[in-house]
Amino acid sequence: MPFWAPLKSSLSTKLLNITVSSLCKAKQIPNAETAIVDGIRLGVLPDVVTYNTLIDAYCRFATLDVAYSVLARMHDAGIPPDVVSFNTLISGAVRKSLFSKSLDLFDEMLKRGINPDAWSHNILMNCLFQLGKPDEANRVFKEIVLRDEVHPATYNIMINGLCKNGYVGNALSLFRNLQSHGFVPQVLTYHALINGLCKARRLKDARRVLKEFGETGNEPNAVTYTTVMTCCFRCRLFEEGLEILSEMRSLGFTFDGFAYCTVIAAMIKTGRMQEAEEIVEMMVSSGVRPDLVSYNTLINLYCRQGRLDDALRLLDEIEGEGLECDQYTHTIIVDGLCKAGNFDGAQRHLNYMNSLGFGSNLVAFNCFLDGLGKAGHIDHALRLFEVMEVKDSFTYTIVVHNLCRARRFLCASKVLVSCLKCGYQVLRATQRAVIVGLRSIGYANEARKVKLTIRLAQFVP
């Protein structure tokens, strides 16, 4: 007997819909289907809301095909789908990255005579941007504006889509144009624009918009500031990046590990080890619990400082925190051991990585190759290179570069030619080093052959 049988006299479709919605949210879709069947037996018929709830649940927790099959059941029940039915299906297709399917669903909605609403067009615009069709998205946007159906979310989708498709200047112009017409940007609008400007490395514009954001009375969050700070570091404007960090601290933002690691990594890349150490102390004193990214950043810092014992100690600490070291963690250790000249230790750690089942460990092997070459152990590096089953362009570049450093240009030219024949590429500077080196030792003909091979490789698809 259905659990609601005692309430038969007071049952209604509204109660059925509430029950189905609750079961779907709890991911109990079979029970929701049972509730619909029981309701029909008791004379309570489902309506379009009932089926739309099912469509949404199947889109989220099953497949799009199963969700779409609900339309046939609606047809059999004499309940025509509405705009919400198709909006839900189209949104489900976009979430599953089935962008072409979402366009097909939009066309089907039009063929069925269902008029799209503002949300339909918003989903369509987002889909077109995802497919890399900004011109078509802009056409839809203009149609929405002419119909006066624009929603604040529409502007956010437009600005975010333009930024992601590389039209940051157009996004900024649209933003300014909207402001001049009295549009009050939302927090999401600012975030999308600032993120797009930072990715395009338009730091001045990003900082200007960030300042305006603060003046609106809305509080930029830590993620927004971290985005601008990261942009500063990428543009090598380290002092400005540290100013953003100071501003964040003065505003009382609670830093997460990502923000601290962004600063530490930037300091490490520029060799500002002392400042990196100060940021580490700041992070520890603030009580931030490190995640794996934080630990990897700290291990990288200690390895670059030659503090291998501290780096290895962190490996034990990672396990103590219940985290698992990833391939990048162990690669940093291998690179640190190589820089310290401990190649036996690096080899043992590579073997340890293999025992953990990390696969080819190509990046770690490349670090080992480079370390051997720079330390003058070029023959050892060549033996390792010959037995490596997996290689990439970096592998070949490392070997050729170090052979040139050892003035073994003939051997370097053979490895370079082998690389090009395998379809890989070596850095142009390394290619030039081989050619110049061959000429310097009197092998002009060999240099011409290598140069010709390089040119021919450029025309091979």
Side-chain angles (χ1 to χ4, degrees):
M1 179 183 292
F3 67 87
W4 54 12
L7 302 176
K8 180 177 178 181
S9 60
S10 61
L11 282 178
S12 66
T13 300
K14 183 176 181 180
L15 178 58
L16 172 64
N17 289 342
I18 292 172
T19 303
V20 170
S21 178
S22 299
L23 290 169
C24 286
K25 286 179 180 177
K27 301 182 182 180
Q28 299 181 23
I29 304 179
N31 290 339
E33 293 276 19
T34 301
I36 294 173
V37 173
D38 290 342
I40 293 172
R41 287 175 181 171
L42 293 170
V44 180
L45 299 179
D47 61 5
V48 67
V49 175
T50 318
Y51 287 111
N52 285 346
T53 304
L54 272 184
I55 291 172
D56 182 61
Y58 281 127
C59 281
R60 292 180 183 277
F61 309 123
T63 66
L64 188 66
D65 289 338
V66 175
Y68 183 79
S69 68
V70 177
L71 295 184
R73 293 167 56 184
M74 295 174 71
H75 179 269
D76 294 340
I79 301 173
D82 60 7
V83 66
V84 176
S85 311
F86 276 93
N87 283 352
T88 305
L89 286 169
I90 295 169
S91 294
V94 171
R95 278 198 302 272
K96 296 179 185 297
S97 299
L98 302 172
F99 303 116
S100 296
K101 180 64 176 178
S102 64
L103 294 181
D104 293 340
L105 287 167
F106 190 86
D107 289 339
E108 182 179 343
M109 177 172 63
L110 295 177
K111 289 177 182 178
R112 287 175 179 251
I114 301 172
N115 293 322
D117 59 10
W119 191 241
S120 310
H121 287 112
N122 285 347
I123 301 170
L124 178 62
M125 282 172 53
N126 181 43
C127 180
L128 290 169
F129 277 125
Q130 295 282 1
L131 286 169
K133 298 180 178 181
D135 291 337
E136 293 186 33
N138 186 51
R139 176 182 54 76
V140 175
F141 175 69
K142 289 179 179 178
E143 290 178 4
I144 298 173
V145 172
L146 290 174
R147 294 176 185 174
D148 197 23
E149 297 178 351
V150 182
H151 186 274
T154 310
Y155 296 127
N156 294 338
I157 292 169
M158 192 66 187
I159 289 172
N160 188 48
L162 287 170
C163 288
K164 287 188 175 180
N165 280 267
Y167 295 91
V168 181
N170 297 74
L172 184 58
S173 297
L174 174 62
F175 178 77
R176 296 301 184 201
N177 187 38
L178 293 174
Q179 283 182 311
S180 66
H181 285 81
F183 170 68
V184 179
Q186 298 178 324
V187 173
L188 288 175
T189 318
Y190 280 108
H191 284 175
L193 185 58
I194 291 170
N195 188 51
L197 289 168
C198 285
K199 285 185 177 179
R201 300 199 175 190
R202 295 179 58 166
L203 182 58
K204 289 183 179 179
D205 289 324
R207 293 209 65 176
R208 188 178 299 114
V209 174
L210 178 63
K211 183 180 179 182
E212 293 175 15
F213 188 9
E215 292 172 349
T216 61
N218 293 309
E219 290 287 341
N221 60 23
V223 175
T224 311
Y225 275 103
T226 302
T227 301
V228 179
M229 182 174 64
T230 303
C231 181
C232 290
F233 292 139
R234 284 176 180 168
C235 295
R236 305 188 70 79
L237 299 171
F238 299 103
E239 297 305 325
E240 289 193 37
L242 292 174
E243 285 178 14
I244 296 288
L245 175 67
S246 177
E247 186 175 343
M248 291 173 71
R249 288 176 60 82
S250 66
L251 291 171
F253 281 113
T254 301
F255 277 32
D256 58 7
F258 176 76
Y260 279 115
C261 287
T262 299
V263 182
I264 295 168
M267 296 299 101
I268 292 173
K269 286 179 181 178
T270 55
R272 300 165 72 167
M273 298 302 177
Q274 184 176 350
E275 291 176 70
E277 189 69 34
E278 290 173 359
I279 302 297
V280 171
E281 292 175 1
M282 191 185 301
M283 180 176 73
V284 173
S285 63
S286 65
V288 173
R289 185 175 180 179
D291 56 8
L292 186 57
V293 175
S294 305
Y295 275 116
N296 285 347
T297 305
L298 293 175
I299 290 171
N300 190 22
L301 172 62
Y302 290 152
C303 285
R304 286 176 176 264
Q305 291 177 327
R307 298 164 55 184
L308 287 174
D309 290 338
D310 289 331
L312 292 171
R313 176 181 54 78
L314 284 179
L315 291 182
D316 296 330
E317 191 175 318
I318 290 172
E319 294 179 359
E321 289 287 336
L323 301 172
E324 289 187 11
C325 299
D326 60 8
Q327 197 165 6
Y328 181 60
T329 313
H330 292 291
T331 299
I332 297 169
I333 296 292
V334 170
D335 188 53
L337 289 166
C338 289
K339 283 183 168 62
N342 186 357
F343 295 105
D344 289 338
Q347 182 66 68
R348 285 194 297 272
H349 207 86
L350 279 169
N351 295 337
Y352 175 61
M353 291 178 70
N354 288 332
S355 70
L356 294 175
F358 279 123
S360 66
N361 303 319
L362 182 57
V363 178
F365 270 105
N366 285 346
C367 290
F368 190 43
L369 270 180
D370 194 41
L372 288 169
K374 288 179 178 176
H377 305 299
I378 192 65
D379 290 325
H380 186 174
L382 284 173
R383 286 195 296 271
L384 176 64
F385 174 75
E386 293 296 332
V387 300
M388 286 177 66
E389 295 181 0
V390 180
K391 301 168 186 172
D392 63 4
S393 296
F394 292 106
T395 315
Y396 283 100
T397 298
I398 288 166
V399 173
V400 174
H401 175 75
N402 282 295
L403 283 168
C404 289
R405 285 185 51 166
R407 300 192 62 76
R408 294 172 61 170
F409 299 111
L410 276 174
C411 186
S413 67
K414 292 178 182 178
V415 175
L416 174 58
V417 170
S418 173
C419 168
L420 296 173
K421 287 182 178 179
C422 290
Y424 295 109
Q425 289 294 326
V426 167
L427 294 176
R428 289 186 179 180
T430 305
Q431 294 175 3
R432 286 195 297 270
V434 173
I435 295 170
V436 172
L438 287 170
R439 289 171 179 167
S440 70
I441 60 174
Y443 284 82
N445 286 335
E446 187 67 27
R448 281 193 291 272
K449 291 179 182 178
V450 171
K451 195 171 183 179
L452 178 61
T453 303
I454 292 171
R455 286 181 177 176
L456 290 173
Q458 293 173 347
F459 295 100
V460 177

